[in-house]
Every structure is written in structure tokens, then in C-alpha cells.
Amino acid sequence: MNNSDMKIVVDSASDMLELEGVDFESAPLKIITADKEYIDDKTLDVEEMAEDLLHYKGKSSTSCPNAGDWLDAFGESERIFCITLTGTLSGSYNAAMLAKSTYEEAHPDRKVFVFNTLS
């Protein structure tokens, strides 16, 4: 197995969008208002989002990556090391575990290791 067969996948709570020299992917968390959904990925304009939210008076919510987001991030790698925000504060870990089961069922020769950071 070579390095291209391994991948590190994190949720965007890690505040990392890339890791030089490593097959790496970040599954995005989201902030949702009645007006807009902000997806925490490379395209997010953080200053614009902060300005919008500063003036927004309605309800807002957050959303962790769902199982589909995790599956997209897993791609086609043979060994995936998935690191999530703590399972006690977010559904990110549970969604990653569901994605792991789905992925391994579809690809019995591949393995996903999910780590709950507890932080």
C-alpha cells in the first residue's frame, strides 16, 4: 500500500482545509439562517459571513457534516483516518460512523478508522 491509498478526513471544526503532502479532505460544518447557508469550506468568505451574522436578527442554527458529506470526503481511498469533533457536542462523530458503515459495506476490502477527539 502506498500513501495515495491512505487519506485523512476531518470535519471543519479542525480549522484545517488542507494538509500539504497528504491526501486530505475536510467535511464542512454549516451555519444556517433563513436568508443563507454558510458552508465552512475553502469558498467561505469568513469576513462577509461575520458581517452578515452581525446584522442578522432572525434565528440561526448549525449543522454538522451529514453521512453524505463524509462519504463524499472519503472518496476512493483504501484506508481512511477520520477525525471528528467530540461526539458529546456534535452529531459529527455519529454521522461519520454511519458513513463508515455504508462505505465499508460498499467496499469490503477498504477500512475507515473514525476517531472521536473528545474536544
Side-chain angles (χ1 to χ4, degrees):
M1 183 181 320
N2 61 46
N3 285 343
S4 65
D5 298 330
M6 293 184 274
K7 186 174 194 177
I8 297 173
V9 180
V10 301
D11 59 38
S12 61
S14 72
D15 204 24
M16 293 178 64
L17 296 175
E18 59 187 321
L19 189 58
E20 192 174 323
V22 175
D23 191 5
F24 180 86
E25 189 83 26
S26 177
L29 284 94
K30 301 166 188 84
I31 298 174
I32 304 156
T33 70
D35 299 334
K36 194 169 183 179
E37 181 177 84
Y38 301 94
I39 300 172
D40 190 14
D41 63 11
K42 293 177 184 179
T43 65
L44 179 63
D45 182 334
V46 176
E47 289 181 20
E48 177 186 329
M49 178 193 70
E51 184 68 25
D52 289 351
L53 293 175
L54 180 66
H55 300 290
Y56 181 72
K57 301 298 181 207
K59 291 177 70 177
S60 63
S61 63
T62 59
S63 173
C64 66
N66 62 40
D69 295 327
W70 284 113
L71 285 169
D72 289 344
F74 291 170
E76 293 298 321
S77 295
E78 291 183 27
R79 298 289 180 262
I80 300 159
F81 300 90
C82 178
I83 305 163
T84 72
L85 182 63
T86 181
T88 57
L89 294 177
S90 170
S92 188
Y93 174 77
N94 290 333
M97 290 299 291
L98 179 59
K100 166 191 167 60
S101 294
T102 303
Y103 191 82
E104 290 178 348
E105 219 173 271
H107 308 285
D109 58 326
R110 300 178 187 178
K111 190 72 177 149
V112 178
F113 305 91
V114 179
F115 301 93
N116 180 351
T117 62
L118 305 176
S119 65

